[in-house]
């Protein structure tokens, strides 16, 4: 799991890699979720979309992912790509913990659209969703603008080094990864 992107991970792929049944993999993932080493998020959309699309799995912290990845021989040679994967896991972890606080009814999803999808969608109760794009380095606004329009969102958030401060341009909020980490 530590050597794959969250979107590339499926129970079927894991079963093939581990040479075991999908039922066994499902049990292992359930146990890892119950012990809070990993968590999963569902696709944004209707109930039927939740059933059709596989869950995405993330480690509870990016440090767990990094330790396991380093221990099992990190196969990603591009350091910026690897840091981007760790950053996405880090943001997923913070957002997931935010949804678990219990005071507010926030739900975290991933964007299952095949074209121009964003990394996360955060929704409170039945209000408009908030698309969130995460990236290492500078990010353009094409993906987030498409998601804002597709989902009828009031605004979107880009977490990257695109700006040097928290800034709002039209309906897009830019946040530095270090600043986001303080949430």
């Amino acid at each position: 799991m530590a050597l794959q992107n969250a979107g590339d991970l499926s129970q079927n792929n894991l079963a093939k890699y581990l040479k075991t049944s999908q039922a066994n993999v499902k049990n292992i993932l359930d146990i890892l979720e119950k012990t809070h080493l990993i968590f999963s998020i569902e696709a944004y959309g209707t109930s039927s979309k939740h059933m059709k699309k596989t869950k995405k799995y993330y480690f509870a912290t990016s440090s767990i992912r990094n330790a396991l990845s380093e221990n099992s021989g990190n196969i990603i040679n591009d350091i910026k790509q690897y840091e981007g994967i760790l950053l996405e896991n880090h943001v997923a972890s913070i957002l997931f913990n935010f949804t678990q606080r219990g005071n507010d009814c926030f739900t975290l999803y991933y964007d299952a659209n095949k074209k121009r999808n964003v990394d996360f969608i955060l929704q409170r109760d039945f209000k408009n969703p908030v698309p969130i794009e995460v990236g290492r380095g500078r990010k353009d606004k094409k993906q987030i603008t498409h998601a804002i329009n597709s989902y009828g969102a009031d605004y979107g958030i880009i977490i990257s080094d695109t700006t040097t401060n928290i800034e709002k341009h039209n309906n897009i909020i830019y946040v530095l990864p270090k600043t986001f980490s303080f949430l």
Side-chain angles (χ1 to χ4, degrees):
M1 284 179 61
L3 298 176
Q4 297 183 20
N5 290 331
D8 299 338
L9 182 65
S10 71
Q11 291 181 13
N12 187 33
N13 289 347
L14 272 176
K16 286 179 185 176
Y17 181 77
L18 297 172
K19 297 177 183 156
T20 188
S21 69
Q22 285 187 26
N24 195 25
V25 168
K26 183 181 181 325
N27 287 337
I28 291 168
L29 291 173
D30 287 343
I31 289 169
L32 289 173
E33 278 195 86
K34 287 176 182 170
T35 59
H36 298 279
L37 288 173
I38 64 171
F39 63 91
S40 64
I41 58 176
E42 294 181 330
Y44 179 77
T46 62
S47 297
S48 64
K49 191 173 242 183
H50 292 225
M51 298 300 289
K52 290 178 189 175
K53 297 287 185 178
T54 60
K55 294 179 179 180
K56 279 192 176 183
Y57 292 91
Y58 293 89
F59 286 91
T61 66
S62 53
S63 58
I64 292 173
R65 181 185 187 119
N66 184 52
L68 291 171
S69 180
E70 292 290 324
N71 191 36
S72 46
N74 185 358
I75 58 172
I76 300 173
N77 294 327
D78 184 357
I79 190 71
K80 289 189 184 248
Q81 179 187 4
Y82 183 64
E83 288 174 350
I85 291 168
L86 290 177
L87 177 61
E88 183 178 330
N89 196 116
H90 179 67
V91 170
S93 177
I94 290 171
L95 291 171
F96 180 77
N97 289 332
F98 179 70
T99 64
Q100 301 301 302
R101 290 186 184 156
N103 298 346
D104 297 312
C105 296
F106 284 96
T107 307
L108 179 63
Y109 300 100
Y110 73 89
D111 186 358
N113 286 335
K114 295 199 186 311
K115 284 180 87 175
R116 295 188 191 161
N117 65 336
V118 291
D119 294 310
F120 305 106
I121 297 174
L122 190 64
Q123 188 169 26
R124 182 178 186 178
D125 297 324
F126 296 103
K127 297 185 179 178
N128 289 347
V130 178
I132 301 170
E133 178 61 24
V134 179
R136 176 94 170 79
R138 297 190 166 275
K139 294 287 291 183
D140 65 26
K141 60 182 185 177
K142 290 178 188 173
Q143 286 176 286
I144 201 80
T145 302
H146 181 266
I148 289 169
N149 295 332
S150 294
Y151 297 119
D154 297 326
Y155 61 93
I157 300 171
I158 295 178
I159 301 168
S160 76
D161 296 327
T162 303
T163 61
T164 56
N165 297 308
I166 296 175
E167 294 180 14
K168 183 175 185 229
H169 298 279
N170 298 322
N171 57 352
I172 301 172
I173 300 169
Y174 295 89
V175 181
L176 290 165
K178 286 182 183 180
T179 305
F180 186 82
S181 295
F182 289 117
L183 291 177

